[in-house]
Structures are given as C-alpha cells and as structure tokens.
Amino acid sequence: MKKQMLILALAAACAVSTHAVVAQPEKVASTQMKPVAAQTQAALWASRVLGRYHYKATPLDDAMSEKIFDNYFQTLDSEKLYFTQADIDRFAPLRTKLDDAINNEDLNPPFTIYNLYQQRFADRMNYARSLLKTKLDFTVDETLQLDREKAPWAKSEDEIRDLWRKRVKNDWLRLKLAGKEEKAIRETLDKRYENYIGRMKKLNNEDVFQMFMNAYATAIEPHTNYLGPRSADNFDIAMRLSLEGIGAVLQSRDDYTVIREIVPGSPADKSGKLKVGDRIVGVAQGNGPFTDVLGWRIDDVVQLVRGEKGSTVRLDVIPGDAGVDAKHVTVSMVRKKISMEEQAAKKSIIQVKDGGVTRRIGIISLPTFYQDFEARRKGDKDFKSATRDVARILGELKKDKVDNVLIDLRNNGGGSLVEAVELTGLFIDKGPVVQQRTAEGRVEVESDTVPGLAWDGPMGVLINRGSASASEIFAAAIQDYGRGLVIGEPSFGKGTVQTLIDLDRFSQSDKVRYGELKMTIAQFFRINGGTTQLRGVTPDIKLPVTTDPDMFGESSFDNALPWVSIKPANYVPSGDLKELVAPLQKRHEARIAKDRDIMDLREDIAEVIKLRKENAISLNEAVRRKERDAQDARAKMREARLAAGKGATVPDEPAAAPGGKEARSKVPEPTRPAKTVVASRNSLQRDDGLQADERALSAEIAAEKAAKDAKDVLLQEAAHILADEAGMLKTDTRMASRTMPYMVPGRGN
C-alpha cells in the first residue's frame, strides 16, 4: 500500500511539463550526444523521489541548480585541464536553469555542456599529439602542478596549452628516465593519446546521463547515487557475488577484448579451449550469427557474453600466443551460475613466536558485506551470505585450534546492513547492534536475536580509512560491547543508510528502463549513542596512518552530514578491554620502534605526504635523475635486507571506498595523481612510465601476483598484537575474568 501511495503521489507531481532554454556552444564535437525520452522521464521521477523521501530532502530549485552546475563540471573536468574560463562563462546562464531542465523534461542543457567537453577533450589530445613532433627541452627549471582540483580555470587557450605542454613533457620524461629511446617514446605516447580519444568516443548517452544525474544526486549528499540500467545490474551482481555467464574476466587492450582471468570450474575453464591472453573478436547467441566486437566497449561485450543459465554462447577467438592474422577458434559454452569467490570471505593463519611459545592467529579477510537478497527472499537455503561464510570459517578455525581471531575489514566499503548485524551476532550472545534514525526522527534498533556465539574466544577487528559503512557498524558494535580490540587507523566515517529505489516501477513499458536510485534514507548510530558519521571508528590500538583524511574519507566531502549523537540503546557490555589496551599499546610501540618494515613504511608515508604538500614535480631531467637515483638506492638497501632474510617493506594499499572522490570520473584523465592513497604497495618500484594496458598482460598479472603474495606488514603487526593479548589472558586469569567474563575456559582456543 505504501508503495502504491508513493507511485500515485509522484504521478500527480510529475504531470506538468514545459520547456527550458538551452545555451549553444560555438564549436561542438562531430558526434553529438542527445538525451532520449526515457532519460528525461527518469530524471523527473528521480527528482520527485529525492525531493520528498531523501533523509536530507532538498528542493530542486535555483540553489540546487547551482550546486548541480558546479558538480557536473567537477565530474567532467576535475583537474581543470579541458575547459577554459571562457567555456564556463559561456554556460553561466545555465547555472540556475538545470532545475528547469529536469522539471521540464528537457535535458539538452547538460548534454550540450558534455558535447563541448567532448570537443575540448579531443582538442587537448590532438594538441598533445602534435607536441610529440617538437623538441622538448629538459634542461629548463620548471615544474608541473600535480593536483589542479582547487586551481582556477585556465584564463586563455595559451594558458591551457602550456599546461598540456608540461603534462606531455612529464609523460616523455618518465619514459626517458625508464630507459626508452626517443622513437619508442614518441610511438608510445602518440598511441596513448589516440587511445584516450578512442575511449571517449565509446561513451554513450547513458554514460552522459548517469554523470549528470550523479552530479545532482551527490549535490544533495555524498552517498546518494543514480545507477543507470546497466550499472544497476552490476551493483546487484556485486551484492550477491554471482552472475550467469561463462566465468571469464575480460579486459580491453587496444581494440581487443582480452581474457584476463578464468574462474576455476567455470564453463570457460572446462571448455579447455580458452586461456589467459586470448582475444575475443566475435560473440554469437546459440546457433545465431556472430556479432563482431572488435573495438567495442568492454561492458557491451560483457553484456553479450553474459546470459541466462543453461543458454549457449559461442565465441570467435584469436589465440593469445598467435598473431592477429592467426586462425580463429570457435568456442561454444553453456552458461551457468558463476560464484565470484575473489570477493568472498577467506581465512589464513599467522603463527607468532613469543619466546618459546607459538600463538596461532586466525585471519578472516572480508572484502565486502555481501548477500544474495533475491535467493534469500525466495527461500533458497544455500543463499550467498557473508555471515554464513564467516560462521563456517570460524568453525574451521576452532578445529585449527587458533588462539585469537582477527576480522580484516581493511578497504571493506560496506554492503548489506543485515549482514553487519548478523555478523556481529556471531560474536555476541544477543542484543542491539546498531540504531537507525529516519528523517522524521524515528529511531529503530537493529538487534541480534539469535542466542549463542559462533566464537567465544578473544577477537579483534582490523580497519583502515577504506573501511566504511557496514564495516564501521560491525567494528563499532564489537568495540562498544568490549568484545574485541579494534586495530588500525580511523575508518572512513560513513554513518548513513542507503536503500535502492527501482525507478522502473514508474515506467509505462516493460521495455523502457529508468535505472535505480541508491538513496540515503537514515543515519545510523552506535549503541552507545554516538555515530560513526564524519569521525569514523577510532581504533583501540593505532597503526601507522596510510591516507590523507583531507583527501579521502567522509571529512573530505563538503556536504557531508554532521556528527551528532542520540540516546544510547539498552545493552550490556560483554567485557571491558581498557585494562588490556595500555600494556598492549606499550608492547606494540616497543616492537615497531625496532621493526625495519614499519620504519620503511613510515618513511614512505612521510615522503608521499611531502610530495603532496609540495604539489609539484620538476621537469628538469637532471633533478629527476637525482631523485630517481636516491629512490633506487633506498630500494636496493631494502632488497639487500630481504636477501639477508631480514624482511622488506610492502606498505598497505587502501582502495577508494564507494562514494570516494576517485569514483566520480567516468572519462580518462592522463597522469592524474592518486589522491586517496598515500603509501602504495610498490612505492619504491622504479617508474617505467607506462600505463597498465601498455604493459604485457603476463607482466601485469605477474606484478599483481607478486604484490598480493608480498608481506603485509600491518596485518603481521595486528597478528602480533592479538598474540600478545592471547598470551596475557592465558597467563593472567584474573585479568581475563575482569576483561572478558563471557569467555568459557577451554572453548574457542
């Protein structure tokens, strides 16, 4: 009934339609993007939902139009490398008209802006290519500004051309320092800039519409997003960790769709005819004709390869180890349900030696809080669930006789709220886990109602700045109950709840899809009454901070909701770990003061922070060679230590959480500096000047595997902390009874 009332109310509100004025640019791209009727209608329905039912309901008026205007230009050209101030001034009349564009079902204004952007993008790339024919002087003392997000728009064509001259010069210098010859450098960069133009041409009106609608949605609040039909499908796949297809991970390289990975046991694997590096040039459904996919966007190819379970797909393949003119191979496969195990919970065990005692620490890595909502709704007893997977792993760790358990939530951007609550229930008996407050001020408490614990031994949670939303709910509940130690760095600070609104319900045709809104509808609060919003979860024991909070996290958003508190929920703590924290902190600090790996990590972090504050890089070859030689010397010292068996550093590498600033851009931006990551996993690797798709696929895969297999110094230190805790609890039974009275001797250990 509530759903029907919502539809009727919005239908009445959407009945009026007029027309808006459109500003026309002087020069536009050869391929003009235009909105379609379904998009203008979807925008109208979305605006009515956002204006009435959002947690921070904001009217779509002139004031909101100004925010959308600025957000849209930020989305298109965040580094201010394509538009000039004159371009911005040309569209100034639209600053207060974008609300009219949505209300009047006339989206020509944002599409007109995009069309000029497309032209400017091509202009800049063509100019960059022309510079490759000139002689660049690397003896001049000049610098390139790395981050231009807060810089003013270029005042003239001459100014923006000079910006691009410096960018091309930096691209050239990076390759030159890597040992490339002039001819190879020119060919590499010419192809790179040409590829940027090619990728731009592959964007379609759905991409443009989604960028504009997200400029609107995020102008209200950072975690509200519009998902086009295809993005909505991909979001659903990510949540249920499964899809129906052949089990091959695809990647675009040049104009080819290349097999990047094959899922074990999948149709692609069982066919015996496909291998990593093979190029797919055609796709056919059943016995139908092949569709040539050479030069296609990767998501368009994926759409053809995916299909209903039990259906047949045929691929026209050029073997990866053969030339482009080699004989093609046809591979026929029956699609099946594919499980995305890479994102599922996994276990490992770290053994920590303490004198003559070895402590076994069970590690459960959880990349996301996933759940197959549809399967659960249908009553499928085997539905995919993060909580169910973790419960199974805990049972295995009991048999492995581990002394402590660490839940690794680093870079876990969240997911299902239900999973966060149920996962907490594995470690507490019963009780409230999180509170939610709606826009109307109604507070609801989400509780674990299942008695008993899946693990009653000591445990900890490892977080970093990339731990957000559901991760913060879990970590905060564990901390408030005194159930386990929270270790790491302050989390993201996302204390809001989103729901998916299917806009297709407003469509008059089953064939016309409007997409979905991921809309903020509530704010969640800890059971102690505080919120993780803005401030995140503060760890009990702090590890080195690897990110810049001004650039990554909730506090980096201008329109983030403020920190507030409400009345605490009625709960009884399981224990009180405060007595343990001080001695554990002391041991931790004494250990890392002598740990060369941690010292290296801190050195890397300090170096990157220094570069970020300077926000400039020299374009003088002699200066850059001196810097590179110093970095090479540091790298060799670390390699020597590794060879001597003393360890080498591999700094932790946080990934951008959903809704982070790096998630905004939908177009290629050459050499755009990373803003969310302070210390990268390979921070001392020599820069080869290449981008991912310019390296050999085998080399790229090998490098990724090496990084994945390398020592994770922060995880190792977290395991040492939990090993210390396990030892203290076993040797001091009085401390154990005071800090963890819920523990039953002999169980979970």
Side-chain angles (χ1 to χ4, degrees):
M1 178 62 71
K2 186 176 181 180
K3 175 179 173 181
Q4 290 176 333
M5 290 176 66
L6 171 64
I7 295 173
L8 290 172
L10 292 174
C14 294
V16 181
S17 176
T18 56
H19 295 282
V21 178
V22 180
Q24 295 293 340
E26 293 174 359
K27 185 180 180 183
V28 294
S30 56
T31 304
Q32 294 287 289
M33 294 286 188
K34 296 180 181 179
V36 297
Q39 290 166 351
T40 63
Q41 293 156 11
L44 188 61
W45 285 114
S47 71
R48 299 307 186 242
V49 173
L50 292 171
R52 293 179 176 215
Y53 302 101
H54 194 281
Y55 183 73
K56 184 185 171 185
T58 308
L60 180 60
D61 53 15
D62 288 356
M64 176 55 69
S65 177
E66 293 189 32
K67 294 178 181 178
I68 298 171
F69 183 90
D70 291 336
N71 231 14
Y72 189 41
F73 275 95
Q74 170 74 7
T75 300
L76 294 174
D77 189 7
S78 64
E79 294 293 311
K80 300 181 176 66
L81 293 170
Y82 305 103
F83 290 122
T84 62
Q85 185 62 53
D87 294 327
I88 307 303
D89 293 342
R90 177 179 303 151
F91 289 109
L94 291 177
R95 180 173 285 276
T96 58
K97 300 293 183 183
L98 295 179
D99 56 326
D100 302 322
I102 294 173
N103 286 325
N104 299 337
E105 296 187 58
D106 182 359
L107 293 184
N108 283 302
F111 275 78
T112 301
I113 292 171
Y114 178 81
N115 285 330
L116 179 62
Y117 169 71
Q118 187 175 233
Q119 179 64 56
R120 292 289 183 259
F121 189 94
D123 290 344
R124 309 310 173 211
M125 290 302 114
N126 287 328
Y127 177 63
R129 296 178 73 186
S130 73
L131 290 173
L132 299 176
K133 300 173 184 177
T134 66
K135 187 72 174 176
L136 300 174
D137 185 358
F138 295 104
T139 64
V140 180
D141 286 326
E142 60 180 354
T143 59
L144 171 69
Q145 185 179 6
L146 293 175
D147 180 3
R148 285 185 42 79
E149 187 168 327
K150 295 181 180 179
W153 297 101
K155 294 182 177 62
S156 65
E157 276 294 308
D158 287 342
E159 184 178 334
I160 207 162
R161 283 184 167 225
D162 193 55
L163 287 173
W164 276 97
R165 178 188 64 80
K166 290 181 178 180
R167 293 180 73 82
V168 172
K169 192 173 178 180
N170 183 55
D171 287 348
W172 187 296
L173 184 54
R174 290 176 62 202
L175 290 166
K176 187 177 184 181
L177 293 173
K180 297 287 191 296
E181 297 294 331
E182 183 174 325
K183 183 174 182 292
I185 293 173
R186 186 173 286 110
E187 290 175 350
T188 297
L189 294 182
D190 189 59
K191 186 176 181 181
R192 180 184 298 178
Y193 302 147
E194 182 183 24
N195 284 343
Y196 287 149
I197 297 174
R199 291 174 200 166
M200 172 64 71
K201 289 179 179 178
K202 291 178 182 179
L203 296 182
N204 55 36
N205 63 4
E206 184 176 325
D207 298 311
V208 179
F209 178 64
Q210 183 161 293
M211 281 189 280
F212 173 67
M213 287 303 294
N214 271 312
Y216 171 24
T218 56
I220 300 172
E221 183 268 341
H223 303 292
T224 294
N225 300 102
Y226 168 77
L227 305 174
R230 186 168 294 177
S231 295
D233 291 341
N234 289 333
F235 183 83
D236 182 49
I237 288 170
M239 284 304 299
R240 67 175 186 261
L241 287 195
S242 68
L243 54 85
E244 292 177 352
I246 64 170
V249 178
L250 307 181
Q251 178 187 53
S252 284
R253 295 182 75 87
D254 296 328
D255 282 334
Y256 291 97
T257 297
V258 177
I259 295 178
R260 183 73 169 66
E261 182 183 331
I262 294 176
V263 178
S266 67
D269 182 34
K270 291 182 177 179
S271 73
K273 297 180 180 179
L274 292 176
K275 58 184 179 298
V276 171
D278 285 353
R279 290 156 287 187
I280 299 172
V281 294
V283 182
Q285 309 303 324
N287 295 319
F290 276 103
T291 298
D292 187 341
V293 297
L294 191 64
W296 278 35
R297 285 167 48 131
I298 189 67
D299 55 347
D300 287 332
V301 180
V302 168
Q303 198 74 6
L304 284 183
V305 174
R306 286 180 189 163
E308 188 177 344
K309 182 174 64 175
S311 61
T312 300
V313 62
R314 291 184 296 134
L315 304 181
D316 184 10
V317 176
I318 300 176
D321 55 3
V324 295
D325 296 325
K327 182 179 179 181
H328 292 209
V329 176
T330 299
V331 182
S332 180
M333 288 165 285
V334 176
R335 299 177 177 104
K336 61 177 282 190
K337 186 173 181 178
I338 307 297
S339 179
M340 298 161 63
E341 292 301 325
E342 190 63 28
Q343 288 296 304
K346 294 181 181 62
K347 78 163 183 174
S348 60
I349 296 175
I350 294 179
Q351 299 193 74
V352 178
K353 292 184 179 180
D354 181 14
V357 180
T358 298
R359 308 285 182 200
R360 292 164 58 81
I361 310 303
I363 311 296
I364 301 179
S365 174
L366 187 65
T368 182
F369 285 80
Y370 51 88
Q371 184 185 116
D372 190 339
F373 299 111
E374 184 66 15
R376 184 171 187 168
R377 186 183 63 80
K378 291 180 178 178
D380 184 348
K381 61 182 179 64
D382 296 320
F383 70 89
K384 194 70 176 172
S385 156
T387 302
R388 295 171 68 152
D389 286 348
V390 170
R392 170 182 51 79
I393 292 173
L394 287 172
E396 295 172 1
L397 291 175
K398 281 184 179 180
K399 295 178 181 178
D400 293 329
K401 299 188 182 304
V402 298
D403 298 283
N404 211 326
V405 167
L406 178 68
I407 309 297
D408 185 355
L409 297 182
R410 288 174 300 168
N411 307 322
N412 182 322
S416 167
L417 176 64
V418 172
E419 289 295 331
V421 173
E422 294 184 352
L423 188 71
T424 304
L426 299 180
F427 301 95
I428 66 171
D429 188 9
K430 283 193 301 183
V433 173
V434 64
Q435 304 183 86
Q436 291 188 67
R437 186 175 69 181
T438 66
E440 297 79 25
R442 186 176 66 256
V443 176
E444 298 175 352
V445 180
E446 301 289 339
S447 300
D448 165 43
T449 59
V450 180
L453 291 76
W455 175 263
D456 57 14
M459 56 90 64
V461 185
L462 181 59
I463 60 173
N464 64 5
R465 192 65 170 173
S467 305
S469 195
S471 292
E472 295 174 290
I473 292 174
F474 176 79
I478 293 298
Q479 191 176 60
D480 290 344
Y481 272 103
R483 180 61 184 88
L485 291 168
V486 177
I487 304 167
E489 61 182 311
S491 60
F492 191 90
K494 179 182 175 294
T496 53
V497 183
Q498 285 73 41
T499 190
L500 286 173
I501 305 294
D502 187 358
L503 297 176
D504 293 349
R505 67 175 72 170
F506 305 123
S507 176
Q508 301 299 310
S509 169
D510 292 339
K511 296 181 180 179
V512 178
R513 296 185 63 191
Y514 288 165
E516 294 180 351
L517 281 177
K518 182 164 70 71
M519 188 176 77
T520 299
I521 56 166
Q523 188 169 354
F524 67 73
F525 293 82
R526 301 173 66 141
I527 53 176
N528 70 4
T531 178
T532 59
Q533 175 62 21
L534 213 58
R535 299 181 184 178
V537 176
T538 301
D540 300 306
I541 297 180
K542 298 178 179 64
L543 297 180
V545 173
T546 59
T547 57
D548 184 346
D550 292 334
M551 303 304 297
F552 183 48
E554 193 76 7
S555 58
S556 68
F557 295 111
D558 296 333
N559 61 341
L561 295 176
W563 185 94
V564 291
S565 62
I566 62 173
K567 182 181 177 182
N570 184 20
Y571 73 103
V572 179
S574 303
D576 185 353
L577 303 180
K578 291 177 183 176
E579 189 176 343
L580 282 170
V581 170
L584 288 173
Q585 183 77 36
K586 187 175 181 180
R587 291 191 187 189
H588 159 65
E589 290 173 358
R591 183 167 46 247
I592 65 173
K594 298 180 291 184
D595 190 315
R596 188 64 246 185
D597 291 333
I598 298 289
M599 293 166 68
D600 286 342
L601 172 59
R602 285 176 164 167
E603 185 180 299
D604 291 346
I605 293 169
E607 178 68 19
V608 178
I609 289 176
K610 176 176 173 286
L611 290 173
R612 176 162 293 155
K613 287 182 178 178
E614 292 173 350
N615 195 26
I617 187 170
S618 174
L619 297 177
N620 181 291
E621 183 177 352
V623 173
R624 289 281 284 275
R625 284 193 183 278
K626 186 177 179 181
E627 293 171 349
R628 188 205 61 183
D629 290 345
Q631 188 181 52
D632 284 350
R634 288 171 60 199
K636 286 178 180 177
M637 287 177 60
R638 295 186 187 182
E639 289 171 2
R641 273 206 317 276
L642 179 63
K646 296 181 181 179
T649 186
V650 184
D652 185 53
E653 184 176 9
K661 287 188 177 180
E662 293 304 298
R664 290 182 186 173
S665 181
K666 292 290 290 183
V667 295
E669 294 206 27
T671 64
R672 183 179 183 186
K675 297 180 182 178
T676 59
V677 179
V678 167
S680 66
R681 187 173 292 277
N682 297 301
S683 57
L684 288 187
Q685 273 196 353
R686 175 174 283 202
D687 179 18
D688 62 4
L690 297 174
Q691 298 188 346
D693 60 355
E694 294 169 350
R695 301 185 186 97
L697 181 60
S698 57
E700 188 182 335
I701 293 173
E704 288 181 6
K705 185 179 185 302
K708 188 181 293 185
D709 295 342
K711 183 180 179 182
D712 186 338
V713 295
L714 296 183
L715 180 63
Q716 291 286 333
E717 177 55 27
H720 272 86
I721 293 168
L722 292 193
D724 287 345
E725 180 193 32
M728 291 166 63
L729 292 174
K730 285 189 175 181
T731 57
D732 191 336
T733 55
R734 286 181 299 175
M735 177 180 285
S737 65
R738 290 194 301 270
T739 59
M740 295 186 175
Y742 56 86
M743 286 182 60
V744 179
R747 289 187 59 195
N749 293 284

